[in-house]
Amino acid sequence: MVTKHQIKLIKSLTQKKYRQQLGLFAVEGIKGIEEFLNSDFKLQNLYTTQPIFDAPKQLVTDVSEAELKKISSLKNPNTALAVFNIPKTKDIDREELIIALDDVRDPGNLGTIIRLCDWYGVKDLVCSANTVDCYNPKVVQATMGSLTRVNITYLNLEEFMSATNTDVFGTFMNGENIYKTELPSTGIVVLGNEANGISDSIKVKVDRQLTIPQYGESKNTESLNVANATAIVLSEFRRRLIEK
């Protein structure tokens, strides 16, 4: 049975300020929860309609579908909801390829970018302070468990880039053709806000501007979605690594 206090606490985790105050976030669905249970993330509580999870019994609460619906942020809850502790940020490996996000606001975009980092073996994703919270329920859902394998750090992006000795690349509408540019195996690749791209304060920190060329005849086509652009950029960086 779920208490009123538990319902209030879990529902509060849909808001960033309470996630930060409590140091907790929620995960929903069988696959996502199993990914987190098999990771270094610490389980706080697990609420489930089915006894199918390998978790400490004292942390598991059996609930009805009606109770699950009360605590879920989904229209159609899927079997279980778990609450995990937000871990401490790990050190960034500056010797590897790093993706940096400048004010990316859409949860779906961030979730997809986290999955792409996982797919292409990018261990560190750094985000500006205004980038959407990676523990936002929609982001967690979109990552499909990849959040457990990518180290995400929120920081002052200007200071981070100023302190680095590695190449900094940025994606722009007018830059070097990424398909014809020599790309290293390490460095920082910056992608910008969905509407405004990379901000001027970050642009001046970029060493090399890259563009994904447009092949369509129409010149009125909007710029690529930031998550789509991330997929293309990471694919090119990794392809060059294989060819070396």
Side-chain angles (χ1 to χ4, degrees):
M1 180 179 177
V2 185
T3 67
K4 289 182 179 180
H5 172 74
Q6 289 172 321
I7 293 173
K8 183 178 179 181
L9 183 147
I10 295 166
K11 297 296 282 186
S12 75
L13 298 180
T14 58
Q15 298 183 51
K16 180 179 178 180
K17 65 177 181 179
Y18 292 116
R19 291 195 296 272
Q20 292 181 333
Q21 286 177 14
L22 300 168
L24 301 171
F25 71 102
V27 182
E28 298 199 53
I30 297 172
K31 174 176 170 49
I33 291 173
E34 287 180 339
E35 290 272 16
F36 280 92
L37 287 175
N38 292 324
S39 73
D40 294 332
F41 281 76
K42 182 180 178 182
L43 176 67
Q44 186 78 11
N45 283 293
L46 171 60
Y47 305 88
T48 179
T49 60
Q50 298 178 29
I52 57 176
F53 297 96
D54 183 14
K57 291 183 178 180
Q58 68 272 22
L59 300 180
V60 179
T61 300
D62 294 327
V63 297
S64 65
E65 291 186 4
E67 287 177 314
L68 182 62
K69 195 166 186 177
K70 286 182 180 179
I71 60 176
S72 175
S73 62
L74 302 176
K75 289 184 178 180
N76 298 300
N78 180 12
T79 307
L81 179 150
V83 176
F84 288 88
N85 289 86
I86 295 175
K88 293 182 179 180
T89 303
K90 300 176 183 177
D91 292 337
I92 299 168
D93 187 349
R94 296 171 184 262
E95 301 300 318
E96 296 289 339
L97 184 64
I98 297 170
I99 292 294
L101 302 182
D102 180 19
D103 198 21
V104 170
R105 298 297 185 94
D106 182 83
N109 282 337
L110 179 57
T112 301
I113 290 169
I114 293 169
R115 288 179 67 185
L116 287 166
C117 286
D118 185 20
W119 183 265
Y120 285 103
V122 174
K123 297 177 182 178
D124 283 291
L125 173 65
V126 298
C127 304
S128 65
N130 289 330
T131 293
V132 61
D133 180 23
C134 66
Y135 296 108
N136 176 304
K138 292 180 180 179
V139 177
V140 175
Q141 197 74 16
T143 69
M144 298 294 288
S146 288
L147 187 56
T148 63
R149 292 180 289 274
V150 179
N151 182 39
I152 303 171
T153 308
Y154 287 80
L155 41 65
N156 184 309
L157 208 51
E158 289 181 59
E159 292 180 0
F160 174 74
M161 292 169 66
S162 296
T164 185
N165 294 318
T166 190
D167 290 332
V168 178
F169 298 84
T171 53
F172 295 87
M173 291 297 290
N174 297 302
E176 300 176 59
N177 185 332
I178 191 170
Y179 301 127
K180 298 179 179 180
T181 303
E182 186 174 346
L183 302 174
S185 58
T186 64
I188 300 170
V189 182
V190 187
L191 295 109
N193 175 268
E194 290 87 346
N196 304 310
I198 295 174
S199 59
D200 290 339
S201 61
I202 298 300
K203 182 178 180 179
V204 298
K205 305 291 184 182
V206 173
D207 299 312
R208 296 173 65 183
Q209 297 185 16
L210 299 175
T211 189
I212 299 167
Q214 178 183 356
Y215 291 96
E217 294 181 2
S218 172
K219 300 303 179 184
N220 298 319
T221 307
E222 290 288 336
S223 60
L224 284 173
N225 169 277
V226 65
N228 291 338
T230 302
I232 294 169
V233 168
L234 282 177
S235 178
E236 278 302 297
F237 269 86
R238 291 315 196 200
R239 182 174 70 84
R240 306 301 177 81
L241 181 62
I242 294 172
E243 290 178 350
K244 290 180 179 180

